Amino acid sequence: MKTIIEPFRIKMVEPIRLTTIEERQAILRAAHFNPFLIPAEHVLIDLLTDSGTAAMSSEQWAGMLRGDESYAGAKSWYRLEETIQRITGMPHVLPTHQGRASERILFELLGGPGKVVPNNNHFDTTRANVEHSGAEAVELVIDAGKDPQNRHPFKGNLDIGKLERLIGEVGAARIPVVMVTVTNNSGGGQPVSLENLRAVRAVCDRHGLPFFLDACRFAENACFIKMREPGQQDHSVRDIVREMFDLADGATISAKKDGLVNIGGLLLMRDDALATRANNLLILTEGFITYGGLAGRDLEAMAQGFEEVLDEHYLEYRLRSVAYLGEGLQRAGVRIIEPPGGHAIYIDAAHFCEHLPVDQFPGQALLCELYRSGGIRAVEIGSVMFGHTDPATGTTIHPPMELVRLAIPRRVYTQSHIDYVIEAIAEIFPRRRAIRGLRITQAPPVLRHFTAQFAEV
Ligand code: F0G
């Protein structure tokens, strides 16, 4: 088996600045041990997110120049609408500036006090938009999806029994929509099988419920289905994608992931009456229905990106290169969420920093060490992001896992960059007991991970 190479060559380069450990030590201190507060130019390998960080192709850049900036009915809009309708089969395509704008519109229409919205796992902005509407966000991922070492091929699946029980408990009338996130970002970038999507559809049909996908990483999910689901090997990713969307009544999409663009989103639906109401909200805050808060050139880049992401050589390389990082870390003894996800590797920071109690933020402490010794930026998904104080008892509640996510931007880093990341982390691992814990010195009441400040314990 030969190496699966990057299926592109590099036409434009952006220098990355090499810094010394001493410089990074000072930068980290100035950023109060929070990598979100580090200026990006001081980062060597930036694995903070795979969102909006993709490199665009020459065809996308060519499209940017062709972008039609007409306020209404731009040619670029019709190209995007036709592309998305052809790929997904959804009749109503609404452009938005990013995924959370689609979520805000959807839940303003479907949410509200007393409502309950199930999902395998809600992404933070999805949960926030559900809750902002007054509704309750419920998570129904299968139990295997919560066990970091379980190698279930579709750990993102929604538990059908739990869904039936929820409907039995609260009643179908209180559930305005059932969501499934593909791939399941908050659960480790794990895929959802076609079989599971069909089962969710069947439950929704039995109870008359609409079914929406959070389809940010729809192409990566479809590629996993092709590789892992019995009977799917001979189907094209394009056909599998179509089958996924055919099972749903609509979708929210952040085009900043599998759309291969730096900004953009979509809200898709079949229901004519709902689409009319959504269009009215779109005009209120995003813009007219043929641009939705985006420039014509952005629509053009999206239309091209959604086609390119279905290239199976690209997807095979994409999933392989993320798995390559995971396997390299495992060889060094680092424990990760298994199997590797589609867009990121999640390090078990509680294991990596087992000498640190959770109230000294092992994930954040590991983030700081990755930056200090390797110039690598990642994100904590643990007690900083999700820890909170119980208002009733005053005690701190910690999430079940302390994770550090290494998200891989699309088409940006080469295998040698990833080798460097593996080497840097493998070098830290044997001396990990020297990593110092952190305490919070300042934090806002909500979404504290973005701006919290820390000091070393
Ligand atoms: N849904 C999922 C599953 C996501 O991963 C994201 C964004 C969104 C919705 C919101 O989209 O950012 O365009 O408004 N995830 C990014 C991340 C931010 O780093 O995982 P957005």
Side-chain angles (χ1 to χ4, degrees):
M1 179 85 172
K2 295 205 180 79
T3 302
I4 294 174
I5 61 168
E6 288 86 2
F8 47 80
R9 53 185 182 167
I10 296 164
K11 186 161 191 152
M12 192 190 283
V13 296
E14 185 181 13
I16 44 182
R17 199 170 81 85
L18 299 169
T19 43
T20 62
I21 289 200
E22 291 68 33
E23 282 174 298
R24 292 195 294 269
Q25 178 74 32
I27 292 164
L28 197 56
R29 211 167 275 285
H32 305 281
F33 300 94
N34 186 348
F36 271 110
L37 304 178
I38 298 174
E41 64 171 330
H42 300 319
V43 177
L44 188 60
I45 309 277
D46 203 345
L47 307 182
L48 187 67
T49 179
D50 66 318
S51 180
T53 50
M56 291 209 297
S57 67
S58 48
E59 276 308 312
Q60 285 178 294
W61 282 108
M64 295 287 275
L65 288 179
R66 281 194 299 268
D68 176 354
E69 304 303 338
S70 303
Y71 189 97
K75 208 162 114 188
S76 304
W77 158 249
Y78 291 115
R79 180 180 173 205
L80 175 65
E81 185 186 42
E82 185 278 323
T83 304
I84 301 300
Q85 286 172 337
R86 184 162 34 75
I87 292 172
T88 67
M90 292 280 173
H92 297 291
V93 179
L94 283 69
T96 61
H97 79 277
Q98 61 184 81
R100 67 198 69 182
S102 305
E103 294 164 359
R104 191 195 55 77
I105 292 170
L106 184 68
F107 293 114
E108 188 167 333
L109 293 173
L110 298 183
K115 301 279 171 64
V116 178
V117 179
N119 203 328
N120 43 359
N121 286 116
H122 292 274
F123 181 66
D124 1 347
T125 59
T126 323
R127 169 177 285 277
N129 275 294
V130 168
E131 291 175 348
H132 183 70
S133 80
E136 187 190 342
V138 175
E139 309 209 317
L140 304 178
V141 74
I142 55 170
D143 289 341
K146 292 189 253 182
D147 170 4
Q149 254 53 64
N150 191 313
R151 290 191 63 94
H152 189 294
F154 292 103
K155 277 174 93 168
N157 282 356
L158 185 137
D159 190 318
I160 301 299
K162 288 182 196 166
L163 179 60
E164 292 275 21
R165 275 195 295 285
L166 179 77
I167 297 170
E169 277 162 28
V170 308
R174 284 178 59 199
I175 302 177
V177 61
V178 176
M179 299 273 304
V180 173
T181 305
V182 294
T183 57
N184 188 19
N185 185 10
S186 304
Q190 302 293 327
V192 178
S193 69
L194 266 182
E195 185 191 24
N196 189 248
L197 294 175
R198 285 192 201 109
V200 173
R201 174 78 264 170
V203 172
C204 288
D205 283 344
R206 259 200 310 285
H207 297 276
L209 300 176
F211 170 26
F212 269 58
L213 294 172
D214 176 340
C216 298
R217 300 177 180 86
F218 69 99
E220 290 169 6
N221 196 85
C223 191
F224 275 125
I225 288 174
K226 182 177 169 106
M227 286 163 31
R228 295 181 185 171
E229 190 156 347
Q232 295 300 322
Q233 282 63 45
D234 298 333
H235 297 189
S236 69
V237 165
R238 199 176 274 274
D239 286 347
I240 295 170
V241 163
R242 184 54 188 266
E243 200 168 342
M244 287 164 54
F245 282 102
D246 278 349
L247 289 164
D249 297 299
T252 54
I253 301 184
S254 165
K256 300 170 73 172
K257 285 79 170 173
D258 275 351
L260 299 175
V261 289
N262 306 120
I263 196 73
L266 293 167
L267 176 56
L268 312 180
M269 54 188 73
R270 297 189 194 282
D271 188 282
D272 298 337
L274 188 66
T276 304
R277 293 167 64 210
N279 274 328
N280 291 338
L281 285 180
L282 187 78
I283 294 172
L284 199 61
T285 58
E286 291 285 297
F288 188 58
I289 55 173
T290 64
Y291 74 88
L294 295 164
R297 50 183 169 271
D298 297 324
L299 305 174
E300 198 71 45
M302 268 166 78
Q304 181 64 26
F306 276 98
E307 286 287 355
E308 287 178 11
V309 79
L310 296 175
D311 174 354
E312 298 195 8
H313 294 299
Y314 159 75
L315 284 168
E316 188 187 13
Y317 138 78
R318 167 75 178 160
L319 299 187
R320 180 65 207 127
S321 60
V322 173
Y324 176 88
L325 169 59
E327 288 160 15
L329 294 180
Q330 284 184 301
R331 267 198 303 281
V334 177
R335 196 184 281 175
I336 63 166
I337 291 194
E338 294 186 53
H343 68 293
I345 294 299
Y346 297 66
I347 298 176
D348 180 346
H351 174 255
F352 201 109
C353 297
E354 57 196 352
H355 61 292
L356 295 179
V358 285
D359 59 5
Q360 289 187 23
F361 306 111
Q364 191 76 16
L366 176 54
L367 281 193
C368 290
E369 186 53 32
L370 293 182
Y371 179 72
R372 187 184 357 246
S373 53
I376 300 160
R377 177 157 70 171
V379 72
E380 191 255 18
I381 303 183
S383 284
V384 176
M385 194 180 271
F386 294 123
H388 60 276
T389 309
D390 183 341
T393 62
T395 53
T396 306
I397 308 211
H398 294 277
M401 287 192 271
E402 300 291 335
L403 302 173
V404 163
R405 184 185 77 172
L406 306 170
I408 315 298
R410 293 170 181 78
R411 307 192 294 204
V412 169
Y413 294 116
T414 63
Q415 187 169 336
S416 70
H417 290 116
I418 299 299
D419 283 333
Y420 168 84
V421 172
I422 295 169
E423 286 162 19
I425 297 174
E427 184 272 320
I428 298 168
F429 191 68
R431 56 174 176 83
R432 61 195 189 279
R433 293 193 146 269
I435 295 175
R436 287 174 68 182
L438 297 168
R439 64 186 168 82
I440 291 181
T441 56
Q442 200 177 308
V446 285
L447 294 174
R448 64 180 181 177
H449 53 287
F450 290 119
T451 54
Q453 300 186 1
F454 302 82
E456 285 179 318
V457 172

